Amino acid sequence: MATEEKKQEILEKLKNAVIQYDEDASKEAAEEALKEGLEANDAIFNGLVSGMEEVGRLFEAQEYFVPELLMCADALYVGLDILKPHVSQLDLGVKGSVVIGTVEGDVHDIGKNIVKMMFDVAGFEVYDLGKDVPLDKFIEEQIKTDSDLVCLSAMMTTTMVGMKKVIDDLKAKNPDIKIMIGGAPVSQDIAEKWGADGYSADANNALKDAINMISSLKKMKDEAEQNKA
Amino acid sequence: MTEQTMTSRDRVLKLFAKEDIDRPPCFSGMGNVTAEGLKKFGYKFAAVHSDAKMMADSAASSYKLFGFECAVVPFDLCVEAEALGCDINVYSHLEDILYPTIKTKLVNTEDEMDISIPSDLASRGRIPMMKEVIGLLKDDVGSEVAIGAHVLGPFTLAGQVMELNTLLKLSFKKPDKIGKLLDMLADALIVIAKEYEDAGADYITVREMGATSDVLSPRVFKNLILPYLKKIFAALSKNSVIHICGKTNDIAGFMVESGADAISVDQKNDVVETRKKIGNDALLFGNYDPYNVLVSGTTDQVRETMKGCMDSGVNAVWPGCDIWPTVPPENFHAMMDEVKKYRR
Ligand code: B12
């Protein structure tokens, strides 16, 4: 077992590897973490993810831009791939799966990819449909994967209206499904009007909301089962 | 000269020549077809991108219906990529107004970057049709309004022909490699823009929104993008505009440095600040929100916004992006009226 000091040192290495978008350093630090017997959960959340949080802050502060963000994500994925097989159960309190994509007619996917990354990081099972996704595809994929959450992104006011159609169809098929929407023209107001369960202006908050939504969904399901029993 | 004696065309050309004009013109360098205009001809949006007459009719309709002071083509951002070999989707199976997109990219990974410009570029894809459209517009409204055409900037075009995540990361990791690609794309864009100039376009707008500070740092803009923009503007012979939307305050100076005759920014730009930075001599076009004001605002909001733009010192009242087709006619009229009655 590593000493507390050694442990902190490795966590710091993981964190910095992400911030400095250094894939090699991320690999090394992740391997060292396993060798020294660190909990994989600990290494992911207090190392890699805490690095990504700092990256998010640098992005907000306009010190980092989209290319930096993508490179940090690559470094994070390198570490994550090494650590993930050693994770017993991710420490979110929930285990979720999410279908995500940019709606038909819209090829803006930079923002969607950032949101997707946050879900990956948090240990969600992510089904990324990409961009310019035919509206029916969201419904098909949700049914196929039995996902708890569907995330829709749109960057244009014309394509945004497609989201309403997807929401209506999904809710008609399965009223319990949670839907989250986002993208520059979308607002809290619109999300409420169209019956989406969540909206967020940025990726960090999207993740927090998603976790809350899914845990309340799980609770509802559990209660329903108990009542049956 | 007075409103009666000065045509919209004179006003715009004199503006570029930095001669005296009665008021700022109200025009654009980007698409401005409206649903109203399409309705007049019974055209479907998906059909106007690939038919010369339909595109020309639609492009002239905002002048004819509302007095908008230009006619601009094309309406989509795929012409250059298509000529370079990409397939496009115009969504003809759908009734909604959807803008054409690129279906397949030429370059997906770093080792596929060895592409070259076809020697017959000017006769590929829709380029010949675009020249025909510009000719038709010249004949139809060319004595009354200035005819504009737009091309993408090299970085934004790179994003159309190449997997975007790869492009963005390599811009940082291997700027030399991306520089080579941008240089080649700049050459292609020069060929295309010159075709448009020869066909009779009065001004060319280069749209480099992929390099907005929402995505790319001002430092990368200066080192990696600016040199190729300079190359393009040095090669153009008529009037030119550089357009970038989103955050642009930190790069406005570089935009002027690019050598374009005018810079165009959107509503996210603080134009009072920008004016301080670039001085009174540089032409600054902008900067109303074409959707949240022109489409969904009230006529009063439209008037207020246009007045605000002029008060803050833009040289032309000009949208932050394409005019959104669903603009209500009363808003379009209110915009024109507010600009026409403005006196400094
Ligand atoms: C880059 C860009 C492009 C690139 C897109 C490349 C790509 N693969 O993404 C290209 C050049 C291809 C392009 C094309 C077009 N574009 Co464009 N583009 C932009 C630009 C400059 C930046 C967008 C961006 O990536 N921002 C950075 C990211 C990080 O931010 P974000 O997307 O907002 O994402 C964040 C949040 O919104 C949120 N979020 C996003 N998705 C989701 C989803 C969920 C579930 C949640 C919770 C949160 C969330 O989290 C993200 C991270 O913080 C914007 C202007 C601007 N500066 O915003 C115009 C803009 C979006 N484009 C616009 C237009 C009009 C077009 C075209 C129609 C132009 C034309 N004539 O063809 C075409 C569209 C083609 C099509 N059919 O899709 C307009 C849309 C106007 C409107 N209100 O509808 C804009 C706003 C420009 C403007 N000033 O008007 N564009």
Side-chain angles (χ1 to χ4, degrees):
Chain A
M1 217 31 189
T3 60
E4 184 57 30
E5 200 182 330
K6 184 75 188 162
K7 186 181 138 187
Q8 285 310 325
E9 184 194 313
I10 298 173
L11 291 179
E12 201 60 24
K13 275 189 198 166
L14 285 164
K15 189 174 156 186
N16 286 331
V18 173
I19 298 173
Q20 289 157 11
Y21 39 86
D22 187 336
E23 293 177 33
D24 295 338
S26 177
K27 177 169 179 279
E28 250 168 58
E31 279 163 356
E32 191 181 355
L34 291 178
K35 202 179 93 209
E36 297 288 335
L38 260 70
E39 286 273 345
N41 275 352
D42 200 13
I44 292 176
F45 283 95
N46 297 319
L48 297 173
V49 172
S50 108
M52 207 60 207
E53 279 165 5
E54 175 63 12
V55 170
R57 205 191 56 73
L58 290 166
F59 183 64
E60 300 272 292
Q62 291 193 65
E63 282 177 47
Y64 273 15
F65 294 81
V66 176
E68 289 91 322
L69 210 62
L70 294 172
M71 290 188 296
C72 294
D74 281 352
L76 176 134
Y77 284 125
V78 168
L80 199 60
D81 285 345
I82 295 168
L83 295 167
K84 232 180 179 170
H86 301 271
V87 170
S88 39
Q89 208 207 338
L90 276 190
D91 207 14
L92 290 174
V94 293
K95 207 160 181 241
S97 60
V98 52
V99 172
I100 189 168
T102 304
V103 298
E104 179 157 35
D106 202 325
V107 295
H108 296 93
D109 64 352
I110 300 174
K112 185 268 296 169
N113 289 341
I114 296 174
V115 176
K116 174 199 162 189
M117 184 176 81
M118 297 304 291
F119 283 108
D120 276 332
V121 168
F124 277 68
E125 195 68 53
V126 183
Y127 302 96
D128 182 9
L129 299 178
K131 60 196 172 200
D132 193 14
V133 179
L135 302 180
D136 292 341
K137 186 90 180 77
F138 286 100
I139 292 126
E140 266 169 44
E141 188 74 8
Q142 189 277 323
I143 294 170
K144 206 174 91 198
T145 61
D146 192 27
S147 291
D148 312 295
L149 180 67
V150 177
C151 280
L152 309 171
S153 179
M155 281 298 281
M156 290 187 296
T157 22
T158 40
T159 53
M160 182 174 85
V161 293
M163 299 203 289
K164 180 167 184 337
K165 260 173 94 184
V166 179
I167 297 171
D168 289 346
D169 284 1
L170 277 172
K171 292 271 174 184
K173 291 225 161 62
N174 178 0
D176 284 346
I177 187 87
K178 297 290 177 192
I179 304 168
M180 207 164 179
I181 63 177
V186 184
S187 64
Q188 183 70 46
D189 253 18
I190 290 176
E192 277 169 26
K193 215 164 71 196
W194 289 354
D197 303 281
Y199 156 80
S200 148
D202 62 52
N204 281 324
N205 287 313
L207 182 63
K208 279 183 214 142
D209 284 359
I211 292 173
N212 287 338
M213 279 192 290
I214 292 182
S215 38
S216 70
L217 186 68
K218 293 263 145 87
K219 220 164 108 203
M220 257 165 50
K221 274 191 187 149
D222 290 349
E223 280 167 9
E225 310 244 303
Q226 268 172 11
N227 287 345
K228 250 192 274 167
Chain B
M1 263 195 273
T2 66
E3 183 82 38
Q4 281 74 31
T5 56
M6 191 181 275
T7 64
S8 294
R9 179 183 167 76
D10 289 339
R11 190 172 290 111
V12 165
L13 295 184
K14 278 175 187 290
L15 171 69
F16 277 115
K18 298 188 175 165
E19 289 171 28
D20 276 348
I21 43 177
D22 49 357
R23 61 164 172 84
C26 184
F27 76 124
S28 175
M30 294 159 283
N32 53 72
V33 58
T34 64
E36 238 14 66
L38 294 168
K39 199 167 81 192
K40 188 179 136 195
F41 293 101
Y43 293 162
K44 261 179 70 172
F45 187 60
V48 302
H49 310 295
S50 35
D51 181 290
K53 170 139 191 346
M54 287 167 97
M55 189 187 280
D57 284 342
S58 315
S61 65
S62 295
Y63 164 63
K64 291 181 182 170
L65 289 175
F66 308 108
F68 201 50
E69 304 191 81
C70 60
V72 181
V73 285
F75 308 131
D76 65 301
L77 307 179
C78 304
V79 174
E80 304 89 334
E82 193 185 14
L84 288 169
C86 294
D87 286 332
I88 70 163
N89 186 356
V90 297
Y91 302 97
S92 44
H93 60 293
L94 295 172
E95 287 301 315
D96 306 331
I97 295 192
L98 291 182
Y99 279 80
T101 54
I102 305 292
K103 260 195 255 178
T104 44
K105 307 255 172 179
L106 298 177
V107 180
N108 292 295
T109 57
E110 189 184 335
D111 37 272
E112 290 172 8
M113 279 176 67
D114 260 329
I115 56 169
S116 56
I117 310 176
S119 56
D120 59 345
L121 183 66
S123 52
R124 288 171 61 109
R126 284 179 291 161
I127 311 278
M129 185 199 83
M130 287 300 303
K131 291 192 292 189
E132 192 188 338
V133 176
I134 293 169
L136 289 170
L137 283 172
K138 276 273 165 245
D139 292 343
D140 185 14
V141 292
S143 60
E144 296 146 65
V145 291
I147 310 295
H150 58 83
V151 295
L152 294 180
F155 188 75
T156 309
L157 177 55
Q160 294 283 64
V161 300
M162 175 172 175
E163 173 51 38
L164 188 66
N165 282 357
T166 315
L167 171 67
L168 288 168
K169 283 188 270 188
L170 289 179
S171 308
F172 212 90
K173 286 189 195 165
K174 304 205 171 150
D176 291 350
K177 224 168 171 175
I178 295 300
K180 239 179 84 194
L181 176 74
L182 297 185
D183 191 37
M184 194 195 78
L185 293 175
D187 287 337
L189 290 165
I190 289 170
V191 170
I192 296 171
K194 280 188 164 303
E195 291 291 328
Y196 295 172
E197 287 188 334
D198 290 347
D202 296 300
Y203 61 104
I204 302 283
T205 304
V206 176
R207 304 175 67 166
E208 189 63 308
M209 64 260 232
T212 164
S213 303
D214 286 307
V215 176
L216 221 55
S217 70
R219 194 172 50 81
V220 174
F221 184 88
K222 175 169 182 271
N223 296 335
L224 186 63
I225 317 288
L226 183 58
Y228 306 105
L229 290 173
K230 281 184 177 166
K231 183 176 188 181
I232 293 176
F233 289 113
L236 295 184
S237 39
K238 296 205 185 151
N239 302 306
S240 58
V241 185
I242 172 80
H243 168 78
I244 301 179
C245 55
K247 287 186 196 134
T248 45
N249 272 87
D250 293 336
I251 55 174
F254 300 142
M255 291 169 74
V256 174
E257 224 183 284
S258 74
D261 295 313
I263 75 168
S264 149
V265 297
D266 82 359
Q267 56 281 356
K268 278 199 193 172
N269 187 287
D270 178 340
V271 293
V272 175
E273 275 303 309
T274 296
R275 180 57 80 191
K276 271 192 228 151
K277 194 167 177 175
I278 66 175
N280 281 333
D281 203 42
L283 293 176
L284 171 60
F285 297 172
N287 69 331
Y288 62 88
D289 186 330
Y291 187 81
N292 291 308
V293 174
L294 199 59
V295 174
S296 52
T298 61
T299 52
D300 283 345
Q301 281 163 341
V302 170
R303 286 179 184 279
E304 234 168 80
T305 304
M306 302 309 148
K307 186 168 179 304
C309 289
M310 291 182 282
D311 285 343
S312 61
V314 298
N315 301 95
V317 177
W318 165 293
C321 194
D322 303 270
I323 296 263
W324 212 244
T326 53
V327 45
E330 63 274 18
N331 280 5
F332 213 135
H333 286 301
M335 169 168 77
M336 297 312 302
D337 185 59
E338 190 65 28
V339 179
K340 281 179 184 166
K341 72 178 200 208
Y342 190 82
R343 289 292 175 271
R344 278 205 222 274

